[in-house]
Amino acid sequence: MIEARALSKRFSSKLAVDDLSFDVRPGVVTGFLGPNGAGKSTTMRLMLDLDHGDGRTTFDGRAYRELPDPLREVGTLLEAKPFHPGRSARNHLRMLAASNGLPATRADEVLELVGLHEVAKKKPKGFSLGMGQRLGLAGALLGDPKVLILDEPANGLDPQGINWLRGFLKAFASQGRAVFVSSHLLAEMSMMADHLVVIGRGRLLADAPVSDFIARARSHVVVRSPRPDLLAPALQQAGMEVAQAQDGSLTVAGEGVTLAAVGQRAFDAGVPLHELSQQTATLEEAFLEVTAGSEEFRATGSEAVA
């Protein structure tokens, strides 16, 4: 169990993390989301006592610095290539193992686990970003920890690698362990995470199961009729918000808008329907809705620049 309480960090005049509190439970993959510059990496560094700031994070009741064998308790990956470029992949892991009282054979075990056994003797300075991520994850797994804290571990992975990572983290959590993982790949996070912690400008915006987080977003009904000129006014008279798409379908939104309500209004108006469907929000749509106005860096337009 990870308990983060009142985490705060200021860089000069900028408050990067602002009184942030949340829990990461065992048996759950907890996704950590936020716009660029929201304070995700700083939060993770505060949790691991790598940055000085306010607040406290405990792992089963103890701060990271208080853990007698931290690699056996918490595995971390905060950088894409956290290794010495001149050592072989195997020797890099053997060095970490020796410093934490782990057997040297564990290096080959985790290399096999992350799919790097064939390049164990190669120096990682020539590794791709994805291979570097796998080696970093191997280091995080050396101590067979109870907790994984991973910052953007899918960066640089190909689709097969991302699929492998998703399955691995879900299996890891299913053993009663805790996973706290950040990512900007929202479609992937929707399939990987069970719970979400979402921040913006260092503040907590949401702390909820993925399904609940998405359910809060604005959903709508799509309806298609040969007489949209009659259907639209009938729906608007009932207080529904109606917009017509280029293909002639109507998007209906607003409080209390359901398939039954739209269908009943169409029936009452004597308008035939060719389509009536509920469109739920995606994680991306829910994320954009929740974080609207909290972006640190915002583009001014989408027009191409010659």
Side-chain angles (χ1 to χ4, degrees):
M1 182 75 169
I2 305 175
E3 296 176 287
R5 295 292 179 268
L7 299 182
S8 296
K9 174 66 177 178
R10 182 180 293 277
F11 293 101
S12 186
S13 61
K14 179 184 177 181
L15 189 58
V17 180
D18 187 1
D19 194 26
L20 191 58
S21 297
F22 56 87
D23 293 334
V24 179
R25 304 190 311 277
V28 173
V29 176
T30 299
F32 192 31
L33 301 180
N36 286 342
K40 300 188 298 298
S41 296
T42 301
T43 297
M44 289 181 161
R45 292 181 62 83
L46 286 172
M47 294 171 69
L48 298 168
D49 296 323
L50 295 176
D51 275 349
H52 295 293
D54 296 324
R56 178 176 170 83
T57 301
T58 57
F59 302 85
D60 287 337
R62 295 177 294 178
Y64 187 78
R65 68 169 73 92
E66 298 167 353
L67 298 175
D69 299 299
L71 204 60
R72 297 177 186 267
E73 300 286 335
V74 183
T76 64
L77 175 59
L78 302 187
E79 298 179 14
K81 293 189 175 184
F83 44 70
H84 191 290
R87 292 193 185 95
S88 70
R90 175 183 287 134
N91 285 341
H92 164 71
L93 294 174
R94 284 178 170 175
M95 177 198 68
L96 292 178
S99 67
N100 284 265
L102 298 169
T105 54
R106 182 61 180 162
D108 287 312
E109 292 174 3
V110 292
L111 284 171
E112 179 79 26
L113 187 62
V114 302
L116 292 181
H117 57 284
E118 293 184 359
V119 295
K121 297 180 179 180
K122 294 185 179 296
K123 295 180 179 179
K125 63 181 179 181
F127 283 6
S128 66
L129 178 58
M131 292 173 67
Q133 293 282 37
R134 287 175 182 259
L135 182 56
L137 183 58
L141 294 170
L142 265 177
D144 195 23
K146 302 175 184 177
V147 172
L148 283 178
I149 297 180
L150 311 174
D151 192 6
E152 301 282 1
N155 274 0
L157 294 182
D158 57 20
Q160 290 83 359
I162 292 174
N163 181 66
W164 166 81
L165 178 67
R166 180 203 315 149
F168 175 83
L169 294 183
K170 292 182 77 69
F172 185 91
S174 71
Q175 298 171 358
R177 312 190 204 198
V179 177
F180 188 55
V181 55
S182 75
S183 179
H184 64 277
L185 302 176
L186 297 180
E188 179 57 34
M189 188 65 82
S190 68
M191 295 185 285
M192 179 191 301
D194 307 297
H195 194 93
L196 293 176
V197 172
V198 184
I199 65 173
R201 296 186 181 272
R203 295 184 178 182
L204 184 67
L205 300 179
D207 184 352
V210 174
S211 57
D212 291 354
F213 180 76
I214 294 175
R216 295 176 187 174
R218 187 181 178 91
S219 62
H220 60 272
V221 170
V222 172
V223 60
R224 193 183 305 273
S225 169
R227 294 303 307 272
D229 56 315
L230 296 180
L231 181 58
L235 297 174
Q236 290 168 336
Q237 288 171 7
M240 302 180 185
E241 303 169 18
V242 181
Q244 187 164 6
Q246 291 183 348
D247 63 1
S249 64
L250 301 179
T251 297
V252 188
E255 186 175 352
V257 171
T258 63
L259 291 176
V262 174
Q264 185 63 52
R265 291 300 298 178
F267 177 81
D268 293 342
V271 177
L273 298 182
H274 291 175
E275 179 186 349
L276 181 61
S277 60
Q278 184 81 38
Q279 303 294 314
T280 57
T282 64
L283 177 57
E284 179 179 358
E285 290 168 335
F287 173 79
L288 293 175
E289 183 176 312
V290 168
T291 59
S294 65
E295 305 98 324
E296 184 74 12
F297 309 102
R298 184 184 303 177
T300 58
S302 59
E303 297 82 3
V305 178

